[in-house]
Every structure is written in structure tokens, then in C-alpha cells.
């Protein structure tokens, strides 16, 4: 089933702002997809094929975090790229935390994403859990703004 002109976070990633007492943390990561076909149109992030696949994967990530202990910290995610051989999705996840709390670690993000994914039953997307890599948080030197450009800086 094809969606017509879906709006993905990739078109306007992370447009929301944090509250006054929050720290925004961006984590970049990737995972391999199992039993999925990579199409050359995925090279173009403006193609409908890329947008459909990105939306499906962003929903999978969101559903995983909704079932995790980080559900109160998870804000959103964006698929930044899809790569072939093996078919791999590159993403950014935005988390928020209070200024007084300790920073969220990339290991915690990865563990909670896997546990949440297993609880959510993957929603029809098979991820190679052993392939999940998470880095971060990206140090952008600012607190609480969540500007549109910050996720792009994280991918560098």
C-alpha cells in the first residue's frame, strides 16, 4: 500500500522546542533491515519511495520508545538516509531530560530501543537487533532550543 505524499520528519526534522528546564539530546544511529528490499530510489530523500520507507521506520522507532522506559524522554526521530548492502537505515533520535537529571547514555538509548521494539513486535519491520548502533549525545553547545538545523549538525 502506497501512501500519497507523506510528510516525514526528514522534511522538517525536530521543529519543536524544549521547555525552559530541559536539555535536548540528539543521538545518531543505524540498524540493518532484514527481509527488506532496497530500491535505488531510496538514494533520493525527496522521492515518494524514500518518504514512505522513512515514515514506516520512524513509526517503528516511535512505537519502540513508546514501549520503553524512555517514553517520557523520547521526543521524535528522523530517518536521515537509507543505504544498500546490507540495507541500513540511518536515524537521529531526539530526547529531552531535565537540566537537573543525569544525561542519557547511548547504551541506554540502544538497550531501550531494542527492548521497546521487542515489546512492540516490530510492527511488520524486521530489524537486526545485533546491528543497532547508537552514538551521542551530539554536543551542540546549546540547551533547550531544538532548532531545525541541530539534527543536521549531529550527522556530521
Amino acid at each position: 500500500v502506497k501512501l500519497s505524499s507523506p510528510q516525514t520528519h526528514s522534511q522538517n526534522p525536530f521543529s519543536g522546542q524544549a521547555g525552559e528546564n530541559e536539555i535536548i539530546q540528539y543521538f545518531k544511529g543505524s540498524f540493518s533491515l532484514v527481509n527488506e528490499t532496497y530500491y535505488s530510489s531510496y538514494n533520493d530523500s525527496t522521492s515518494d519511495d524514500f518518504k514512505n520507507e522513512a515514515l514506516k521506520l520512524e513509526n517503528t522507532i516511535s512505537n519502540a520508545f513508546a514501549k520503553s522506559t524512555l517514553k517520557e524522554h523520547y521526543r521524535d526521530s528522523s530517518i536521515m538516509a537509507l543505504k544498500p548492502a546490507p540495507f541500513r537505515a540511518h536515524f537521529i533520535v531526539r530526547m529531552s531530560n531535565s537540566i537537573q537529571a543525569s544525561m542519557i547514555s547511548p547504551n541506554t538509548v540502544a538497550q531501550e530501543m531494542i527492548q521497546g521494539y521487542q515489546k512492540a513486535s516490530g510492527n511488520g519491520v524486521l530489524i537486526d537487533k545485533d546491528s543497532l548502533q547508537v552514538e551521542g549525545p551530539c554536543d551542540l553547545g546549546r540547551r533547550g532550543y531544538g532548532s531545525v538545523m541541530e539534527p543536521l549538525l549531529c550527522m556530521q
Side-chain angles (χ1 to χ4, degrees):
V1 176
K2 281 277 194 188
L3 302 174
S4 60
S5 300
Q7 290 284 1
T8 67
H9 286 279
S10 303
Q11 291 172 320
N12 185 14
F14 314 111
S15 56
Q17 292 191 353
E20 187 176 314
N21 292 320
E22 289 183 301
I23 295 175
I24 297 295
Q25 291 180 270
Y26 295 100
F27 296 88
K28 67 179 177 177
S30 65
F31 53 78
S32 294
L33 296 157
V34 179
N35 297 330
E36 292 272 338
T37 303
Y38 181 88
Y39 298 100
S40 61
S41 56
Y42 292 163
N43 287 325
D44 177 5
S45 64
T46 63
S47 74
D48 284 342
D49 288 338
F50 178 93
K51 292 174 188 176
N52 284 324
E53 189 69 14
L55 182 62
K56 180 173 76 171
L57 296 173
E58 287 165 358
N59 286 335
T60 298
I61 293 169
S62 292
N63 290 335
F65 281 111
K67 300 280 185 184
S68 79
T69 61
L70 291 177
K71 64 185 169 198
E72 299 299 321
H73 301 284
Y74 175 77
R75 294 297 172 253
D76 44 29
S77 63
S78 183
I79 299 299
M80 304 305 283
L82 299 171
K83 302 289 183 184
F87 188 177
R88 200 158 184 85
H90 295 263
F91 63 88
I92 293 188
V93 171
R94 182 171 68 134
M95 299 279 181
S96 71
N97 208 352
S98 70
I99 290 173
Q100 297 85 2
S102 60
M103 299 292 271
I104 300 168
S105 75
N107 287 342
T108 299
V109 172
Q111 289 169 358
E112 290 301 318
M113 187 173 165
I114 289 170
Q115 289 177 6
Y117 169 78
Q118 290 170 328
K119 289 178 187 174
S121 302
N123 302 306
V125 175
L126 289 177
I127 293 174
D128 177 359
K129 296 180 293 290
D130 294 330
S131 74
L132 178 63
Q133 298 175 347
V134 178
E135 298 174 27
C138 298
D139 182 11
L140 301 173
R142 294 174 38 204
R143 290 186 177 184
Y145 292 102
S147 79
V148 172
M149 294 305 294
E150 286 179 349
L152 303 177
L153 295 171
C154 190
M155 288 303 290
Q156 296 177 349

